[in-house]
């Protein structure tokens, strides 16, 4: 992580909230208020040298004294979930950056929330916001088993008529044909969960009005080959430089190699830290953040993974 301002946090509570899922409550080491945040926000936790992971905030946006996250212990963990679920203890200090929000809840009279597994975490504060706004909403919440579904009891008890639980071992996969077969007027869809669920929701909702679906991925979407296989140029207007990006390097790597400072973090197109304004040319968007409208506008790009459709890109760097 390239020197971004960090907030030291004390772990004040640890508890299991479902099979394989640990909740952490984090407070400012200095005891002061934490930065404000909105539903859909995530923080980046620095868990070791070159080990930074993103976690959605799932507590109350009104609580400036503590942040709540829930972490799934991944069987094939690259270090992040193992550290938080097995080694971190109450009293430990972690460094966080953010919050950032690429999954903002837009105003609407109706919402359909679809969550799979740990994808429930950003949805919880969205439901609170929708409830406070007087919006009509419902949640379809899927998981492998009931025991693996975090916060299911509190969600069901608070709004039993609006929450449909869908444990896979009893019900199979969520019936997306039935759920999304007929577009509902004035309704926005917010979906978070594993890639197969998100990809299926994207496919099944294509006949809904443009801009209806909003998703957040915890891992990069499956990669495809770049449209432009050869090298391309980047013109950096603030640095008065033109650089060549070869096929085997990212824009971020080329810029960094030239000594030009850009904040970066995940380097896989999921965190949004390296988001850069595009002033000319057409990006080949390869991130897992921007929606279809944002991609079509070509105003911005994630330079850690995205490339170019044109021989030259002009960037605000």
């Amino acid at each position: 992580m390239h020197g971004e301002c960090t907030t030291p946090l004390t772990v004040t509570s640890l508890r299991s909230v479902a099979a394989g899922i640990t909740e952490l409550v984090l407070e400012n080491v200095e005891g002061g208020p934490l930065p404000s945040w909105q539903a859909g926000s995530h923080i980046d936790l620095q868990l070791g040298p070159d080990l930074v992971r993103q976690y959605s905030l799932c507590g109350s946006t009104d609580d400036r004294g503590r942040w709540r996250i829930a972490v799934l212990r991944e069987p094939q963990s690259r270090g992040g979930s193992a550290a938080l679920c097995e080694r971190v203890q109450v009293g430990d200090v972690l460094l966080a950056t953010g919050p950032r929000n690429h999954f903002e809840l837009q105003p609407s009279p109706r919402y359909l929330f679809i969550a799979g597994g740990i994808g429930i975490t950003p949805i919880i504060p969205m439901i609170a916001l929708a409830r406070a706004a007087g919006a009509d909403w419902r949640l379809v919440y899927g998981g492998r088993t009931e025991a693996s579904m975090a916060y299911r009891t509190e969600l069901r008890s608070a709004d039993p008529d609006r929450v449909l639980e869908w444990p896979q071992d009893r019900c199979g996969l969520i019936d997306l044909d039935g759920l999304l077969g007929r577009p509902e007027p004035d309704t926005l869809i917010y979906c978070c969960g594993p890639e197969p669920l998100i990809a299926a929701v994207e496919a099944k909702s294509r006949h809904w009005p443009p801009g209806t679906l909003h998703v957040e991925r915890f891992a990069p979407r499956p990669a495809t080959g770049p449209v432009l296989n050869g090298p391309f140029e980047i013109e950096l207007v603030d640095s008065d430089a033109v650089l060549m990006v070869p096929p085997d390097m990212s824009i971020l790597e080329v810029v960094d190699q030239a000594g030009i400072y850009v904040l970066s973090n995940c380097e896989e197109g999921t965190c949004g830290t390296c988001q850069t304004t595009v002033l000319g040319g057409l990006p080949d968007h390869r991130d897992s953040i921007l929606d279809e409208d944002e991609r079509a506008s070509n105003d911005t790009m994630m330079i850690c993974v995205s490339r170019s459709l044109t021989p030259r890109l002009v960037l605000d760097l």
Side-chain angles (χ1 to χ4, degrees):
M1 193 161 47
H2 290 186
E4 192 175 9
C5 181
T6 60
T7 302
L9 302 170
T10 301
V11 180
T12 59
S13 174
L14 286 168
R15 67 177 180 126
S16 174
V17 290
I21 299 178
T22 300
E23 179 194 87
L24 292 85
V25 176
L26 309 168
E27 299 183 17
N28 194 322
V29 166
E30 299 177 353
L34 293 165
S36 61
W37 59 282
Q38 299 300 319
S41 296
H42 71 267
I43 57 173
D44 304 328
L45 286 182
Q46 185 172 343
L47 304 174
D50 300 319
L51 182 60
V52 179
R53 296 291 182 265
Q54 293 78 45
Y55 298 99
S56 296
L57 294 172
C58 59
S60 169
T61 57
D62 295 329
D63 188 350
R64 296 290 302 278
R66 58 190 59 82
W67 286 338
R68 184 175 75 168
I69 62 172
V71 181
L72 171 65
R73 175 59 169 98
E74 296 281 1
Q76 306 299 322
S77 172
R78 294 175 296 167
S81 69
L84 288 175
C85 294
E86 297 175 4
R87 295 193 292 275
V88 167
Q89 299 179 353
V90 171
D92 285 354
V93 175
L94 303 175
L95 297 178
T97 60
R100 298 190 191 89
N101 197 348
H102 300 290
F103 196 38
E104 185 176 354
L105 189 70
Q106 298 179 6
S108 177
R110 296 182 185 86
Y111 298 98
L112 171 58
F113 299 111
I114 305 174
I118 197 64
I120 192 63
T121 51
I123 300 297
I124 290 173
M126 288 185 174
I127 288 174
L129 183 59
R131 186 188 296 118
D136 187 15
W137 63 270
R138 58 191 174 121
L139 166 67
V140 179
Y141 181 15
R144 296 186 306 277
T145 65
E146 287 184 352
S148 71
M149 298 166 65
Y151 306 115
R152 58 176 290 270
T153 300
E154 67 183 63
L155 287 165
R156 185 187 57 205
S157 60
D159 295 281
D161 297 332
R162 296 180 183 270
V163 177
L164 176 61
E165 295 178 0
W166 205 289
Q168 186 175 340
D169 64 333
R170 290 198 297 105
C171 305
L173 298 177
I174 295 173
D175 179 15
L176 295 179
D177 287 322
L179 187 64
L180 301 173
R182 178 180 298 177
E184 300 177 11
D186 301 319
T187 301
L188 295 182
I189 304 169
Y190 281 79
C191 176
C192 186
E195 179 59 32
L197 172 64
I198 294 177
V201 170
E202 288 176 330
K204 299 293 185 181
S205 64
R206 293 195 189 281
H207 59 294
W208 286 57
T212 293
L213 177 62
H214 303 264
V215 305
E216 182 171 60
R217 285 175 161 89
F218 290 138
R221 69 174 76 216
T224 57
V227 175
L228 183 63
N229 290 314
F232 58 92
E233 292 181 338
I234 51 172
E235 179 182 345
L236 312 180
V237 293
D238 287 349
S239 304
D240 193 24
V242 176
L243 305 174
M244 184 66 70
V245 180
D248 60 345
M249 293 182 69
S250 68
I251 296 175
L252 178 64
E253 289 171 330
V254 169
V255 168
D256 185 65
Q257 193 174 79
I260 298 168
Y261 174 75
V262 177
L263 287 175
S264 66
N265 190 337
C266 73
E267 299 188 12
E268 58 183 16
T270 58
C271 74
T273 310
C274 68
Q275 188 166 355
T276 299
T277 299
V278 178
L279 302 175
L282 296 176
D284 178 8
H285 295 290
R286 311 182 65 74
D287 64 274
S288 302
I289 298 173
L290 301 178
D291 62 29
E292 292 184 6
D293 291 340
E294 291 168 329
R295 290 183 173 213
S297 71
N298 290 313
D299 292 333
T300 186
M301 67 185 297
M302 310 302 159
I303 63 172
C304 64
V305 292
S306 296
R307 300 187 69 79
S308 182
L309 298 175
T310 49
R312 175 179 284 200
L313 284 176
V314 183
L315 304 176
D316 188 18
L317 291 174

